[in-house]
Amino acid sequence: MKELEIAHFKAFDKPFVLSPDNRNMLIYGENGAGKSSIAEALRMVFFYDRLFGRFARRGVNRDKEERRFLASYAYKGDMSEGEPEIVFDGTPFQQLDKNNLHCAVITRDTILADRRTYSDMLEYKPDTINFRQVTTSADYAFWPDNEDIKTIEYLQEVVDEVNRLLETRFFETLRIDIENQDMYVCLMDGNTGLFASEDLHRYFNEAKINLVSLLLLLVTIKKEYARHASEGGRMMLVMDDVVTSLDACNRSFLAEYLLDEFSGYQLILLTHNLGFNNTFIKMVELRNIAPQWHTVTLYTRHDGPQAYEYNALRSSADMLKDFDHNTSDKASLAIEARRRFEAVLIEFAKFTLLDARERANFHLKRLQSDGNPFFLRMRNGKIMYADDLLSDILAVVNAEGKPATAKLKDIGSKLAAFTPSAEMRKAVSLIRRLNMYEKLFVHSVTHGGKPLTQIHDKELRAVIVLLGELEHSVQYLRHEVG
């Protein structure tokens, strides 16, 4: 995929473009930023008929059902301004020739599919993993029906590979086996002696069950797409927030597995797990394959989801050179400065984990008020939050055998000690100042409105200089956190 453009689709009202240019893409964004909408758009491109078949009611006029189906993907469910639009590599998805394109899409919902569902062909068993159900719940390129019959021998090959991965890639004592001819899978743990083929959650934690389901899918996809590759096909693998259902250490092992064994695919990975995002970026850098990857951050603004690639944005130093040499017009520099400020602010929120607790916009509003305390500090290279301060205070309050006056003194000491570092205070002050400038003129310019005031050279230069100081502070704090 070189480019994907979507409009009037799910979270995206206005046209939104992703341009991986045939490279891999790691997309980070909080819930609600539009990640799942991107994954759904790719599902529509490659699996429209399958999705419609799952949605449509039997015996109802197809045109009517198709209209209802499209409306379910429209922005706010409203098609008054047009139907959902998806353009893949410059071609509307309805007209795309997909004969040589093969895409697999795995979502968190696929991994967490209701394991109590069953068909008339299968014996009912509660809380199970059935290979047929797992593979049919995912979206990947099947072969024609007469070539796509999965046998017990086929499943045994998949099970053997999953067990190899569990042992050598994920360092698990968990193993799986085939329960019966209906392709139910049983789980067993060599350390604990636990064994189960149904009611799995009574015996195994959810993360291990989800890991098994995910590996069954990935191994099957790799096995099937090897046949497509042998015929000259191009493969994509899209994974939307699947790591949140796994243990923390297995997320790192999954990253290594994907980089090693899906290197021939174009990978589109979407996540709101900051740890996985940062770990993946670090692995890519250590392997010296960063040029093969786009690392993109999604965020929401009042005019809809936005995306940026931090390293692709010009630094304040470059903008300042243009300003001093008059090589860029002031309006363009104002737009660049705003975008860079938004990106730096989000990076600040990411590495301090503010975005894991509240949205960055909420914190930006709090930072605008000098009267609003900012309980955040560095302690031994670690970010400490108001929650940590509260824990310290509660420990003092609950201490036995200490008089109230002594406790009050200890609480005062805790409050006095919980003061952000000089660099943190500087970053907060810069964010406040830059937000003020942004309100005065940058914001109105970048959104096409009439500026509240004339753009003065001195003010624009001040914004770019302050932005450079903020970049330095954020880089310093990121290094401190590690």
Side-chain angles (χ1 to χ4, degrees), residues 2 110 119 163 266 338 397 421:
K2 293 182 179 179
T110 305
S119 70
N163 283 331
Q266 183 180 22
R338 172 183 170 77
V397 171
S421 66

Side-chain angles (χ1 to χ4, degrees), residues 274 277-278 281-282 285 297 308 310-311 340 343-353 378 381-383 421 423-424 427 470-482:
L274 188 59
N277 179 79
N278 293 345
I281 291 173
K282 192 68 175 177
E285 291 173 349
T297 297
Y308 70 85
Y310 190 74
N311 292 332
R340 182 69 174 180
V344 174
L345 176 63
I346 293 167
E347 292 299 306
F348 173 82
K350 279 165 63 178
F351 82 82
T352 58
L353 296 184
M378 304 289 294
K382 181 182 178 184
I383 294 287
S421 66
E423 202 67 42
M424 183 68 76
L470 179 60
E471 289 170 351
H472 175 79
S473 290
V474 168
Q475 186 63 32
Y476 175 85
L477 292 170
R478 183 189 285 111
H479 175 74
E480 285 293 301
V481 177

Side-chain angles (χ1 to χ4, degrees), residues 380-400:
N380 299 324
K382 181 182 178 184
I383 294 287
M384 310 297 291
Y385 299 94
D387 288 352
D388 301 301
L389 172 59
L390 181 59
S391 296
D392 289 348
I393 292 174
L394 286 174
V396 173
V397 171
N398 293 328
E400 297 181 0

Side-chain angles (χ1 to χ4, degrees), residues 365-374 428-429 432-433:
K365 290 177 182 177
R366 294 194 68 223
L367 293 176
Q368 292 173 36
S369 171
D370 286 320
N372 214 334
F374 190 63
V428 171
S429 175
R432 286 173 178 155
R433 291 179 65 188

Side-chain angles (χ1 to χ4, degrees), residues 205-354:
N205 71 52
E206 185 172 12
K208 292 187 183 296
I209 298 170
N210 292 335
L211 176 62
V212 168
S213 295
L214 177 59
L215 290 179
L216 283 169
L217 275 175
L218 288 172
V219 169
T220 301
I221 289 167
K222 191 165 184 279
K223 189 177 176 65
E224 292 298 299
Y225 281 31
R227 298 171 66 191
H228 290 298
S230 68
E231 296 182 0
R234 292 185 293 154
M235 283 76 67
M236 290 177 60
L237 175 61
V238 180
M239 299 178 68
D240 180 24
D241 255 345
V242 300
V243 300
T244 56
S245 63
L246 304 180
D247 290 332
C249 59
N250 282 338
R251 295 168 191 163
S252 299
F253 298 149
L254 177 65
E256 290 183 311
Y257 170 62
L258 292 172
L259 288 171
D260 286 342
E261 303 204 26
F262 285 83
S263 58
Y265 290 62
Q266 183 180 22
L267 297 175
I268 310 292
L269 308 180
L270 305 105
T271 184
H272 79 268
N273 187 282
L274 188 59
F276 177 77
N277 179 79
N278 293 345
T279 297
F280 204 97
I281 291 173
K282 192 68 175 177
M283 286 185 182
V284 166
E285 291 173 349
L286 291 173
R287 290 167 180 247
N288 295 317
I289 55 173
Q292 301 172 22
W293 283 85
H294 274 298
T295 54
V296 175
T297 297
L298 285 177
Y299 66 103
T300 52
R301 210 166 58 184
H302 76 276
D303 55 343
Q306 307 290 324
Y308 70 85
E309 185 175 0
Y310 190 74
N311 292 332
L313 296 173
R314 287 208 306 167
S315 69
S316 59
D318 290 334
M319 285 186 269
L320 199 57
K321 288 179 183 177
D322 277 4
F323 178 87
D324 288 338
H325 292 88
N326 294 316
T327 52
S328 292
D329 65 90
K330 288 180 286 187
S332 297
L333 279 175
I335 292 171
E336 269 200 279
R338 172 183 170 77
R339 289 175 179 168
R340 182 69 174 180
F341 171 53
E342 286 180 338
V344 174
L345 176 63
I346 293 167
E347 292 299 306
F348 173 82
K350 279 165 63 178
F351 82 82
T352 58
L353 296 184
L354 290 176

Side-chain angles (χ1 to χ4, degrees), residues 16-248:
F16 176 87
V17 178
L18 280 179
S19 301
D21 195 23
N22 290 328
R23 290 193 281 172
N24 304 304
M25 184 169 276
L26 175 66
I27 303 175
Y28 169 82
E30 279 294 290
N31 287 331
K35 300 186 306 299
S36 293
S37 296
I38 293 170
E40 283 297 309
L42 288 168
R43 288 178 78 190
M44 286 281 278
V45 170
F46 289 95
F47 306 106
Y48 180 90
D49 290 339
R50 191 178 303 167
L51 294 174
F52 176 70
R54 294 172 185 166
F55 178 90
R57 297 169 295 187
R58 295 181 181 178
V60 181
N61 177 270
R62 180 182 173 90
D63 290 342
K64 181 179 179 180
E65 281 298 273
E66 198 152 17
R67 181 79 177 171
R68 191 171 71 90
F69 175 62
L70 290 173
S72 71
Y73 285 92
Y75 177 72
K76 293 185 177 180
D78 181 12
M79 294 207 297
S80 61
E81 295 187 12
E83 294 183 355
E85 298 176 13
I86 309 173
V87 179
F88 186 97
D89 287 353
T91 303
F93 80 97
Q94 302 95 328
Q95 303 168 21
L96 184 67
D97 180 6
K98 299 186 287 289
N99 288 330
N100 202 38
L101 292 171
H102 306 289
C103 179
V105 182
I106 303 177
T107 69
R108 185 171 181 269
D109 289 341
T110 305
I111 304 304
L112 303 179
D114 185 0
R115 298 188 178 90
R116 293 179 178 271
T117 57
Y118 64 101
S119 70
D120 295 336
M121 299 173 60
L122 297 176
E123 175 190 358
Y124 171 70
K125 290 188 176 186
D127 193 13
T128 61
I129 296 177
N130 181 274
F131 180 69
R132 287 196 184 101
Q133 290 177 342
V134 168
T135 53
T136 55
S137 67
D139 292 308
Y140 65 96
F142 290 92
W143 292 88
D145 290 341
N146 61 339
E147 299 179 44
D148 200 47
I149 299 172
K150 302 296 189 289
T151 63
I152 288 294
E153 291 73 25
Y154 182 100
L155 175 55
Q156 187 63 60
E157 292 176 1
V158 172
V159 165
D160 290 344
E161 177 62 7
V162 169
N163 283 331
R164 183 189 73 83
L165 294 173
L166 288 170
E167 180 180 7
T168 62
R169 284 281 186 182
F170 294 86
F171 304 96
E172 291 278 354
T173 57
L174 184 70
R175 299 292 182 270
I176 66 173
D177 204 349
I178 303 171
E179 173 70 10
N180 56 32
Q181 292 293 314
D182 284 335
M183 295 194 171
Y184 283 102
V185 174
C186 57
L187 279 60
M188 61 204 80
D189 193 309
N191 266 3
T192 63
L194 290 174
F195 173 92
S197 61
E198 56 186 87
D199 295 319
L200 295 180
H201 284 80
R202 291 183 60 187
Y203 304 96
F204 299 95
N205 71 52
E206 185 172 12
K208 292 187 183 296
I209 298 170
N210 292 335
L211 176 62
V212 168
S213 295
L214 177 59
L215 290 179
L216 283 169
L217 275 175
L218 288 172
V219 169
T220 301
I221 289 167
K222 191 165 184 279
K223 189 177 176 65
E224 292 298 299
Y225 281 31
R227 298 171 66 191
H228 290 298
S230 68
E231 296 182 0
R234 292 185 293 154
M235 283 76 67
M236 290 177 60
L237 175 61
V238 180
M239 299 178 68
D240 180 24
D241 255 345
V242 300
V243 300
T244 56
S245 63
L246 304 180
D247 290 332

